[in-house]
Amino acid sequence: MPPQFKIHKSYIFYLSALIIAGVTIFAHQLISQPVLDHGDHGLNLYAFEQAANGKIVYKDFWWPFGPLGPYYYGFFMKLFDHNIKSVLLGQILLKLTSGILLFYNLSLFFKTRSAFLGTLFFWIFFKDFFYTYNHSLAFPLIFLSMTGLFQYIKTTGKAQYNKLIIFISCFLISLVRINIGIALLLGYFFILCLIDFLLKKKNSYYLTDMTITTMYTNKDLQSRVNIADNSGIK
């Protein structure tokens, strides 16, 4: 956590209220599956159950994406029960984690109240993949990579460990979908090089502009991935 960021009582209050609101928003999804596609959802559930039974992805069963999804959801099947509710619980936790990370990221640059409202807006109008559970794993990891970047900017490059957060996040994203992980890694590499160059120039104005640009770039990338997936490109 950057030294400029301090936890106040209001932050704890809004964070607690946010968690309660998030659980309320997504609770109904634990007992509701409006769309069930026998192709993608069926394949997902089969792969998750195989992983829960100790099978090895790619070796014992076919899987078109990165290996992280089957083992993540398989863990919930192993922990609770071999049914769709266990998978939905795992997916809801991913959405809640994404929102909490977004709240923290927004709190670095905006007032806590604004961060709270921004996260609520994100949750209420959450655009998820309607045909697969796998890709939901990428959301919290993308926000985690943004956390590393924003903290690096906030500390003016002094906290080098944030680079490690970014690269680990990109690596884990590539275990969900390798094309997203590689695209983000290349983008962050360019951004970090540019930030380091600007820090040498000690030009804080451009750093602020870079922060805003990065937030819109990541949102645009997420939108493009959604469009590509919804059009059947995998």
Side-chain angles (χ1 to χ4, degrees), residues 133-151:
Y133 307 107
N134 180 74
H135 302 352
S136 299
L137 268 166
F139 285 113
L141 295 173
I142 289 174
F143 283 117
L144 180 61
S145 66
M146 294 171 67
T147 299
L149 178 65
F150 295 154
Q151 287 188 155

Side-chain angles (χ1 to χ4, degrees), residues 6-51:
K6 297 180 180 179
I7 297 179
H8 301 283
K9 290 183 179 180
S10 62
Y11 185 87
I12 300 298
F13 169 78
Y14 279 110
L15 179 59
S16 302
L18 188 68
I19 293 174
I20 295 173
V23 172
T24 303
I25 291 171
F26 294 116
H28 74 280
Q29 296 185 7
L30 189 61
I31 57 174
S32 174
Q33 178 73 37
V35 179
L36 189 62
D37 182 85
H38 70 277
D40 287 277
H41 282 134
L43 172 63
N44 286 179
L45 294 171
Y46 171 77
F48 303 159
E49 186 170 35
Q50 292 300 305

